[in-house]
Amino acid sequence: MANKQDPPGQPRDESRRQFLKYSGTAIGGVVVGGVIGGLIGANAKQTKTGETPPAGQTDPNKPAQTADRDYNQALMYFNQDQFLTAEAAAERIYPKDESGPGAKELGVAFFIDHQMASSYGLNGREYMSPPFYKSEATQGYQLSFKRRELIALGLDALSLYSNDKYQKGFPDLAPEEQDKVLGDFESDAVHLKGVPASTFFNYFLNLTIEGVYADPLYGGNKNMGGWRMRSFPGNQMSYINDIEKDEFVKMEPLSLSDHLEMG
């Protein structure tokens, strides 16, 4: 897979550099919460076969690489303020630059919102009853907050902290101010009730990575822009025509929803 490269002489955005340093393991893996059954119908735009598109428009029955895919962009869990804060925070973690779109353009905030509205956001398959004990660092997330509660709490805290520190909401801050606020959460300089601020930050960071690289079926990675930046082919049905080739074969990526439509 091809890594994103900065042009000679161009400074690299620090948040982008740190993101790419740790994002390699997210490529090609399962980066969503196991909600495909519930979101296929909700997020994939339904099209009818046998219809001829108007002149100058793309046939909606062709694979996603030839059409601007219109996935569900309705909020399912966040209120408007939480969504705008999530969108701005994700964009600072994965900003748009000369090598490709950022989290906002890729629809990452919609991905996070939809995940929080699903059984994944409710920790539907996990034991969440007391007693709760302080965990070791190697045990991962062991708190009583459900995922959706943790994210909502953190987003509200981002907004409140920004207003206290700069007298502006997080989306209205300058980029360097947003970085400072996010850095304060990452370093636990902010006090959250019942949870370390860094726990929220790290979890939101992971969700942003997932939203950039998840199948577009889930609401992020719009038009498979995250995959294209890494020359990742997505969900191809077969590599039989290319697997024996010595050279790197660059393919137009396919989404899971493409196979649903083609099937």
Side-chain angles (χ1 to χ4, degrees), residues 78 83 86-87 90-91 94 102-114 204 207-213 219-222:
F78 291 151
F83 172 78
E87 190 174 60
E91 181 69 13
Y94 196 93
K104 181 177 181 178
E105 188 175 339
L106 291 169
V108 168
F110 286 109
F111 166 83
I112 298 174
D113 170 74
H114 296 176
F204 188 85
L207 284 170
T208 300
I209 295 171
E210 292 170 8
V212 169
Y213 290 126
N221 189 15
K222 186 176 180 180

Side-chain angles (χ1 to χ4, degrees), residues 65-246:
Q65 66 266 27
T66 61
D68 185 11
R69 303 306 296 270
D70 183 16
Y71 292 103
N72 188 349
Q73 295 187 12
L75 295 184
M76 298 180 177
Y77 176 67
F78 291 151
N79 61 39
Q80 189 67 16
D81 288 341
Q82 289 169 342
F83 172 78
L84 291 175
T85 300
E87 190 174 60
E91 181 69 13
R92 287 314 300 154
I93 292 172
Y94 196 93
K96 179 178 181 178
D97 64 12
E98 68 283 346
S99 52
K104 181 177 181 178
E105 188 175 339
L106 291 169
V108 168
F110 286 109
F111 166 83
I112 298 174
D113 170 74
H114 296 176
Q115 290 291 285
M116 295 305 102
S118 71
S119 61
Y120 176 73
L122 286 167
N123 297 67
R125 298 185 179 183
E126 298 174 33
Y127 184 81
M128 295 293 293
S129 298
F132 300 102
Y133 299 101
K134 182 176 175 59
S135 63
E136 299 296 330
T138 55
Q139 291 181 295
Y141 183 77
Q142 298 286 323
L143 299 177
S144 60
F145 289 100
K146 293 180 174 65
R147 293 184 180 96
R148 59 161 59 181
E149 295 169 342
L150 172 64
I151 292 300
L153 174 68
L155 292 174
D156 289 342
L158 271 177
S159 181
L160 181 62
Y161 185 72
S162 299
N163 275 291
D164 288 344
K165 191 175 183 68
Y166 297 106
Q167 292 73 56
K168 291 183 290 186
F170 185 85
D172 298 322
L173 298 180
E176 59 272 15
E177 293 172 335
Q178 292 177 334
D179 291 346
K180 180 63 169 63
V181 169
L182 291 172
D184 288 347
F185 274 71
E186 183 181 20
S187 63
D188 283 323
V190 182
H191 174 72
L192 295 186
K193 184 178 180 180
V195 59
S198 60
T199 299
F200 159 74
F201 174 84
N202 290 324
Y203 189 56
F204 188 85
L205 171 67
N206 289 334
L207 284 170
T208 300
I209 295 171
E210 292 170 8
V212 169
Y213 290 126
D215 193 287
L217 184 70
Y218 297 95
N221 189 15
K222 186 176 180 180
N223 295 323
M224 294 170 282
W227 289 349
R228 285 192 173 91
M229 287 188 285
R230 302 299 293 267
S231 297
F232 180 66
N235 293 289
Q236 302 287 331
M237 289 293 288
S238 172
Y239 297 93
I240 192 169
N241 295 324
D242 302 298
I243 197 168
E244 298 294 335
K245 295 179 180 179
D246 293 330

